[in-house]
Amino acid sequence: MKFETDAIILDIDGTLWDTTGVVAEAWNKAISKLALPAKNVNAKNLKSEFGKPMDKIADSLWPNLSKSQKTKLMDECCEQEQIALIANEKKIEFPNVVSTIKKLSERFNIYIVSNCQSGYIELTMKKIGIENFIRDHECYGDTKKYKSENLRILCERNHLKKPVYVGDTEGDREACKEAGIKFIWASYGFGNARTYDAKIENFKELLDLVEPIRLPKTFIRAAVPDDAKELLAIYAPYVKNTAISFECTVPSIANFKKRISETLKTYPYLVLVCENEILGFAYAAPFKDRAAYNWCVETTIYLKQGYARRGLGRKLYSALENILRSQNILNMNACIAHASKSSQYLTNASEEFHKKMGFKKAAHFSQCGFKFGKWFDMIWMQKSLGAHTEKTKNIIPFSEL
């Protein structure tokens, strides 16, 4: 049985890696440092605790401590754990985790939700080298909310309609049930699950267990000014919630209509439609206004959130590229916000998409866009569409094709 899904959400401990040996030593160091009347821990009893929120772990391990003592000890444990994991050089991820995540990321958006402390997810991604494959994440340490609520938060933020969660404990199953998400039990992990929607005994089995949601037939047509309202509904979340667009204020419908009309005078402005709903748009614009740049364009593409990794972007961009070739355009240039570190505002998914479409990085500008109180880099990527000869062909306006 295969699951149709638009996203895969992962647990960490007991699903991606086993840190219990390293963490036990670190936590015992914290207990010794604070000299509190707390029992030492070992890898075995940590396996029965991991997956719970941090406050629940403290309640279970050290019931004799006061609330303030538990908080103080857990803070010290997390600090010592961070130090130990950064220093660790042993391979502690489960077999096939990294290679499978890389392969899955070609077809799915991948996320992480954990009951861990702040910074732990980022450390996990860095240690095993998966930063570029995780679109977003959420944890107890950042929100002080339990896993079911964090699952709902992440799904809402990323417009996920039919995700699956991969975890290893009964607590994970219960969180999925509360959040209304399918649960895949990683049986090789730390815990048990009374019921589950699917079971894997090795992480690589996910490759044969999930498949992208099949969309009804789509088609591409030229945009018209009256599409502005629907296109703006796609674009606005990128302006308001991400650094993918460096615009900080959502344009008006009238302004968007004008943009479409102006573009169509010379260049293609395309929309991808599925069952009378526009799911994405792509267009070309002048690279610069000097005449010598006439054979170069700047290209842009946006998909409705929740519809990435389904081949729609490739279909739309390929159609745009074919039209540009017909116009005798020779260079496609894309201006892309670059994330030195993935965050809720920006990942390098667009950069990776353009690489797959044959674009190559041509320039990198550091800290040139300020949004959400942060500085973001910007890169230019370029794709050549034909031979650059001394005899150039005239550019054919889109309206005349």
Side-chain angles (χ1 to χ4, degrees), residues 10 100 104 166 184 200 202-210:
L10 303 172
T100 300
L104 288 171
V166 186
I184 298 175
I200 56 172
N202 187 297
F203 194 79
K204 68 179 180 180
E205 293 174 20
L206 282 174
L207 293 169
D208 297 320
L209 189 60
V210 292

Side-chain angles (χ1 to χ4, degrees), residues 9 11 113 147-149 151-152 163-185 195-197:
I9 310 174
D11 176 44
V113 171
K147 184 168 286 186
S148 59
E149 184 60 25
L151 283 169
R152 283 192 283 262
V164 296
Y165 186 80
V166 186
D168 66 307
T169 68
E170 176 64 14
D172 291 333
R173 184 199 67 81
E174 291 174 351
C176 288
K177 183 178 180 181
E178 291 176 24
I181 294 174
K182 295 288 186 181
F183 174 62
I184 298 175
W185 177 42
T195 60
Y196 44 82
D197 296 293

Side-chain angles (χ1 to χ4, degrees), residues 231 234-235 238 244-247 256 259 263 267-271 280-287 297-303 313 316-321 324 331-336 350 353-354 359 380-381:
L231 300 189
I234 293 173
Y235 181 59
Y238 289 98
I244 293 171
S245 169
F246 275 9
E247 284 199 86
F256 225 69
R259 294 185 189 186
T263 298
Y267 301 109
Y269 200 128
L270 307 178
V271 296
F281 62 93
Y283 61 89
F287 178 60
V297 295
E298 180 180 349
T299 56
T300 299
I301 182 169
Y302 285 97
L303 294 180
L316 191 51
Y317 231 35
S318 294
L320 183 70
E321 180 179 323
L324 292 173
N331 291 344
M332 292 173 70
N333 300 313
C335 180
I336 303 168
S350 181
F353 167 74
H354 281 81
F359 283 70
W380 279 99
M381 298 188 75

Side-chain angles (χ1 to χ4, degrees), residues 93 96 151 173 212 250 257 260 274 394:
E93 66 267 23
N96 306 304
L151 283 169
R173 184 199 67 81
V250 177
K257 282 186 175 182
I260 296 169
C274 178
N394 292 333

Side-chain angles (χ1 to χ4, degrees), residues 325-391:
R325 288 180 191 275
S326 299
Q327 291 184 269
N328 297 323
I329 298 295
L330 293 177
N331 291 344
M332 292 173 70
N333 300 313
C335 180
I336 303 168
H338 174 79
S340 55
K341 180 181 179 181
S342 293
S343 69
Q344 69 184 85
Y345 302 116
L346 184 66
T347 69
N348 287 324
S350 181
E351 184 176 346
E352 292 302 315
F353 167 74
H354 281 81
K355 284 181 183 177
K356 292 176 182 177
M357 293 300 298
F359 283 70
K360 294 181 179 179
K361 186 175 177 181
H364 189 135
F365 297 86
S366 299
Q367 298 182 318
C368 61
F370 188 76
K371 194 173 180 182
F372 306 116
K374 300 177 182 295
W375 285 101
F376 295 95
D377 292 1
M378 180 270 285
I379 64 171
W380 279 99
M381 298 188 75
Q382 183 182 65
K383 182 175 182 178
S384 176
L385 300 183
H388 294 68
T389 64
E390 294 180 0
K391 293 183 178 181

